Amino acid sequence: MTMTNHKTIEEAQDALRFLQGFMSHAQLATIAAGMRAEEPQHFFDKVVEMERHIRAMPKTYEQDGAGDEAIAHLHYFLNGFDWYITERDMEREQLQAFGLACMGEEEMGYINTVELIRNGAELDLYFEPRSLRKIFAERG
C-alpha cells in the first residue's frame, strides 16, 4: 500500500482561513474555486503547505545582522514590483513584515503587508525561499 501525504478538505479550509491575513480576497477566492473544482487536491496541499511555511517563518529581528544571507520566505508581486519578506510580525493582525522592496530601486525596510494586499499584490505560491544574496544576483 502506498502512503500519500495528501491534505484533507478540513485541513485546507483551516489553512485558507489562516491565509486571509496574507492574500487578497481575489486570490483567496481563486484558490477556493480551485478547491471546489474537478481536481482539488493540488489546492488542498498547497494552502496547507503555505500555512505551515508562514507559521514557521522568523519573526521580526530574528534575522537581524544576517545581511545578504537573510532568507526571504515570501514573495509578493504587483505590476513589475516585488517584495521579499524575510521576517513577519507575529501579531494576529499581521500588519507589517521586514524585507526587501524592489520598486525601481531596492530597499530594505518594514513593509505594510495589509497595504500590499489591499492594493492587489499577490502572494507567490511557488516561491522557493532563498537568501537575499541570491535574489540580488537573480535581479542583476
Side-chain angles (χ1 to χ4, degrees):
M1 177 165 87
T2 304
M3 296 294 287
T4 62
N5 196 20
H6 292 313
K7 305 307 174 205
T8 66
I9 190 168
E10 292 82 16
E11 288 175 295
Q13 288 171 337
D14 288 344
L16 203 56
R17 278 189 286 280
F18 172 80
L19 291 172
Q20 288 177 357
F22 299 90
M23 294 182 191
S24 69
H25 292 294
Q27 189 173 16
L28 288 164
T30 300
I31 292 169
M35 290 170 65
R36 293 185 302 273
E38 195 170 304
E39 296 185 26
Q41 192 63 54
H42 169 76
F43 295 96
F44 294 172
D45 295 343
K46 180 51 76 176
V47 296
V48 171
E49 172 192 332
M50 287 301 299
E51 175 198 17
R52 290 179 179 166
H53 178 76
I54 291 170
R55 284 189 189 275
M57 279 182 62
K59 63 183 177 183
T60 308
Y61 304 117
E62 284 189 350
Q63 293 195 76
D64 191 31
D68 288 354
E69 295 308 317
I71 302 298
H73 291 271
L74 299 178
H75 171 231
Y76 285 91
F77 59 94
L78 175 67
N79 297 331
F81 299 138
D82 296 282
W83 297 267
Y84 298 93
I85 307 300
T86 58
E87 302 166 344
R88 74 177 185 94
D89 190 353
M90 292 298 184
E91 298 300 319
R92 181 162 172 78
E93 297 86 26
Q94 180 56 33
L95 300 177
Q96 69 179 4
F98 190 82
L100 174 66
C102 302
M103 301 182 300
E105 57 185 64
E106 298 166 344
E107 183 177 340
M108 294 294 297
Y110 288 97
I111 298 167
N112 185 321
T113 54
V114 173
E115 187 176 310
L116 275 183
I117 294 164
R118 185 181 314 128
N119 286 298
E122 289 191 40
L123 179 61
D124 183 347
L125 300 177
Y126 300 95
F127 177 73
E128 293 290 328
R130 56 186 164 275
S131 71
L132 292 175
R133 179 181 310 282
K134 287 184 181 178
I135 292 168
F136 288 133
E138 291 166 0
R139 294 183 63 82

